[in-house]
Amino acid sequence: MSRSDRLIRLMQVLRRLPSPVTASRLALEMEVSQRSIYRDIQSLRSSGAIIDGEAGFGFTLTEDPSLPPMHFEADEVEALALGLHTVAKLGNIEFTYAAQNALVKLEASLPQSMRQRLRHATVGSHILRNTPTSEADFPGLREAIWNEQAVSLNYLDLKDRLSKRKVWPLTIYFFSEVQALISWCCLREDFRMFRLDRIQSVEFLEESFRPKRVGLLRDYFEREKECE
């Protein structure tokens, strides 16, 4: 890891951990020596970051020059808090981590008065964590969706029948109890939904369906509206 990357990561750790954070805790998080932490803290201060504290007492990031204050109304802050807290509870490891990091960055970018609205929002959410576990390659599927790359699925339907399908992945939808891949099925030449927990394996094919994804998604959602 380059020194610049390490400094960026240290800033993120300072935002995330409860303050004051001791040098030993920072060294553990960063996997470096305490001596390196002291040097990096000084470098961040020289770059304009206001970090209170010293050796033996811990450090607190009080102002981050890389994130200027953002102007949000109180209800906008609470809406963001509600959305990010809900995403963090969905049971998906990648999105849980991303939502937690986004909350940390959002809080660091807000003026002090709005940070209280973020920390103590008047609304909340509760999601039962009974989502079936999935062996599907979630990051790989998201990348295939973005790149408009065809995939081959080994899929076990609700009657435990195994089939192989070549599909064009369009989006992953989070329902209350399951996560599903909405796709264009090349065999049926129609839209199909595949539960992630029923996907046995994924093969990423050297076949692109660009630029059809946006149009197909529009057609899918228009059809869904007609069925409501």
Side-chain angles (χ1 to χ4, degrees), residues 7 51-52 92 102 134 184-185 202:
L7 291 176
I51 302 174
D52 292 336
N92 180 276
S134 171
W184 176 263
C185 179
V202 182

Side-chain angles (χ1 to χ4, degrees), residues 163-176:
S163 63
K164 192 177 185 71
R165 299 287 186 91
K166 185 176 82 170
V167 303
W168 295 347
L170 303 177
T171 188
I172 295 173
Y173 240 60
F174 286 74
F175 296 94
S176 58

Side-chain angles (χ1 to χ4, degrees), residues 170-225:
L170 303 177
T171 188
I172 295 173
Y173 240 60
F174 286 74
F175 296 94
S176 58
E177 296 181 353
V178 297
Q179 301 162 16
L181 176 68
I182 297 173
S183 306
W184 176 263
C185 179
C186 297
L187 175 64
R188 303 300 183 189
E189 295 187 340
D190 201 356
F191 297 108
R192 288 292 185 271
M193 187 180 298
F194 300 94
R195 284 176 44 166
L196 294 193
D197 61 301
R198 309 292 295 184
I199 296 175
Q200 305 301 295
S201 63
V202 182
E203 179 185 356
F204 300 95
L205 306 177
E206 296 296 327
E207 176 185 330
S208 173
F209 59 96
R210 193 181 302 276
K212 298 179 180 178
R213 176 177 175 251
V214 172
L216 285 170
L217 268 178
R218 182 175 57 248
D219 293 344
Y220 173 81
F221 288 120
E222 286 179 355
R223 181 187 296 186
E224 288 296 297
K225 286 182 181 179

Side-chain angles (χ1 to χ4, degrees), residues 3-205:
R3 189 160 187 271
S4 60
D5 288 339
R6 191 173 76 239
L7 291 176
I8 292 172
R9 184 182 172 196
L10 178 57
M11 288 289 282
Q12 180 68 0
V13 171
L14 284 167
R15 297 185 194 114
R16 176 167 53 85
L17 294 180
S19 57
V21 193
T22 63
S24 60
R25 177 67 188 280
L26 290 171
L28 182 64
E29 288 280 333
M30 297 291 296
E31 299 180 335
V32 297
S33 67
Q34 290 189 43
R35 188 173 181 178
S36 294
I37 292 296
Y38 293 135
R39 285 199 302 264
D40 289 347
I41 290 289
Q42 189 56 45
S43 295
L44 290 174
R45 285 170 168 167
S46 299
S47 299
I50 299 178
I51 302 174
D52 292 336
E54 57 183 290
F57 294 95
F59 299 95
T60 300
L61 177 64
T62 60
E63 186 173 335
D64 180 355
S66 68
L67 293 172
M70 300 178 68
H71 178 71
F72 287 107
E73 301 297 333
D75 56 348
E76 294 172 338
V77 169
E78 294 208 28
L80 289 168
L82 175 62
L84 289 170
H85 281 300
T86 301
V87 170
K89 296 174 183 177
L90 289 176
N92 180 276
I93 295 175
E94 291 84 1
F95 275 11
T96 295
Y97 184 73
Q100 290 171 344
N101 273 346
L103 275 167
V104 169
K105 291 179 180 179
L106 177 61
E107 181 176 348
S109 71
L110 292 171
Q112 185 61 37
S113 60
M114 282 299 174
R115 292 182 189 180
Q116 298 302 316
R117 298 299 297 239
L118 185 67
R119 293 173 185 167
H120 308 293
T122 61
V123 293
S125 65
H126 176 70
I127 295 177
L128 296 176
R129 294 195 174 187
N130 59 351
T131 304
T133 58
S134 171
E135 299 297 327
D137 184 352
F138 185 81
L141 283 172
R142 288 178 57 215
E143 191 71 15
I145 291 169
W146 185 252
N147 292 329
E148 301 185 46
Q149 176 186 3
V151 301
S152 177
L153 306 177
N154 282 321
Y155 188 74
L156 195 66
D157 67 17
L158 294 178
K159 294 183 179 180
D160 290 334
R161 296 175 300 194
L162 187 64
S163 63
K164 192 177 185 71
R165 299 287 186 91
K166 185 176 82 170
V167 303
W168 295 347
L170 303 177
T171 188
I172 295 173
Y173 240 60
F174 286 74
F175 296 94
S176 58
E177 296 181 353
V178 297
Q179 301 162 16
L181 176 68
I182 297 173
S183 306
W184 176 263
C185 179
C186 297
L187 175 64
R188 303 300 183 189
E189 295 187 340
D190 201 356
F191 297 108
R192 288 292 185 271
M193 187 180 298
F194 300 94
R195 284 176 44 166
L196 294 193
D197 61 301
R198 309 292 295 184
I199 296 175
Q200 305 301 295
S201 63
V202 182
E203 179 185 356
F204 300 95
L205 306 177

